[in-house]
Amino acid sequence: NGKKAKKLQSLLDKMARDEERKAILDTNIEMPSPMFNALFLNHHSLTHFLSEGIRLRHILDWAMFIEKEQDNFDWERFYALCDEFNMRAFVDCTTAIAVQVCGIELKNKRITVNSTYVEQVLSSIIYGDESIFSQNIGAWRRRVLLVRNLFASKWKYEAFDGQGVFSKFVSLVWGYLTHPEED
């Protein structure tokens, strides 16, 4: 997925390895750090949103994170990383949805929102029929649907990806040619 995605993956790997984790209640199950969770949740949602859409549960995950962590989280570092990895517009939009639709109250003034694309994103969530990876279809059919979604939803790439549709198409083709999937 390109240099930025690999850099983010490397950062997440380092966080998972090096940052303190807390046990869930009285179990041996550990949770990753809040920064890891925030970056992973948003990158995962953004990636799905661009390629095949997301569901309301993705927004609810983020809303619950904000509700729990808003007062004990390094928002400046998080937003700097969001800027670096072209996630800021998406994060601000999904935060706006968490506030407007889910009723999350923002008490922390460092949390930012941007409502510019809220209606389009909500429409995509509620009415979108772009699912690819949850279907039991072959690799070539997935590729065709991915390209179809790319051009049918070019507004998403322009608003949230930091690169145009043609650049994304070229990177997808290059990724396939250099790392083909097993069919």
Side-chain angles (χ1 to χ4, degrees), residues 33-39 62 65 68-79 108 110-111:
S33 71
M35 187 63 67
F36 177 97
N37 274 337
L39 289 171
W62 180 233
F65 178 89
K68 182 178 185 307
E69 299 291 348
Q70 70 175 294
D71 289 328
N72 55 343
F73 184 70
D74 186 350
W75 291 100
E76 287 81 15
R77 179 176 176 227
F78 173 68
Y79 286 135
N108 189 325
R110 294 174 295 166
I111 301 172

Side-chain angles (χ1 to χ4, degrees), residues 18-58:
D18 299 343
E19 290 186 355
E20 183 180 342
R21 294 176 298 277
K22 293 180 183 175
I24 298 175
L25 301 174
D26 293 328
T27 69
N28 290 330
I29 301 170
E30 294 181 331
M31 287 188 318
S33 71
M35 187 63 67
F36 177 97
N37 274 337
L39 289 171
F40 180 81
L41 276 173
N42 284 289
H43 179 68
H44 180 80
S45 293
L46 175 58
T47 302
H48 277 287
F49 180 71
L50 293 172
S51 64
E52 65 173 344
I54 58 174
R55 299 295 168 245
L56 192 55
R57 70 179 173 81
H58 293 91

Side-chain angles (χ1 to χ4, degrees), residues 4-178:
K4 282 199 184 231
K6 289 177 185 172
K7 186 175 178 183
L8 178 58
Q9 181 64 48
S10 178
L11 175 65
L12 290 172
D13 289 345
K14 183 177 179 356
M15 287 177 165
R17 209 177 35 252
D18 299 343
E19 290 186 355
E20 183 180 342
R21 294 176 298 277
K22 293 180 183 175
I24 298 175
L25 301 174
D26 293 328
T27 69
N28 290 330
I29 301 170
E30 294 181 331
M31 287 188 318
S33 71
M35 187 63 67
F36 177 97
N37 274 337
L39 289 171
F40 180 81
L41 276 173
N42 284 289
H43 179 68
H44 180 80
S45 293
L46 175 58
T47 302
H48 277 287
F49 180 71
L50 293 172
S51 64
E52 65 173 344
I54 58 174
R55 299 295 168 245
L56 192 55
R57 70 179 173 81
H58 293 91
I59 301 297
L60 293 173
D61 287 344
W62 180 233
M64 290 178 0
F65 178 89
I66 294 169
E67 181 73 20
K68 182 178 185 307
E69 299 291 348
Q70 70 175 294
D71 289 328
N72 55 343
F73 184 70
D74 186 350
W75 291 100
E76 287 81 15
R77 179 176 176 227
F78 173 68
Y79 286 135
L81 290 167
C82 286
D83 289 337
E84 180 178 349
F85 296 109
N86 295 329
M87 298 188 314
R88 182 66 179 263
F90 183 75
V91 168
D92 285 349
C93 181
T94 56
T95 301
I97 295 171
V99 170
Q100 294 172 19
V101 176
C102 303
I104 297 300
E105 182 182 348
L106 295 182
K107 300 170 191 155
N108 189 325
K109 301 294 184 208
R110 294 174 295 166
I111 301 172
T112 60
V113 299
N114 183 333
S115 300
T116 303
Y117 294 100
V118 165
E119 293 301 320
Q120 283 177 280
V121 171
L122 281 173
S123 180
S124 175
I125 290 170
I126 295 168
Y127 302 111
D129 186 23
E130 306 155 323
S131 180
I132 297 172
F133 298 104
S134 61
Q135 297 182 32
N136 187 18
I137 56 177
W140 275 105
R141 178 80 175 129
R142 271 195 309 277
R143 290 179 189 117
V144 168
L145 291 175
L146 188 62
V147 171
R148 180 205 66 183
N149 287 353
L150 173 70
F151 288 101
S153 301
K154 71 179 189 172
W155 70 271
K156 293 178 179 182
Y157 291 89
E158 293 165 356
F160 299 118
D161 190 47
Q163 66 178 337
V165 173
F166 182 74
S167 296
K168 189 65 172 187
F169 178 72
V170 169
S171 70
L172 288 171
V173 170
W174 179 254
Y176 171 72
L177 292 174
T178 57

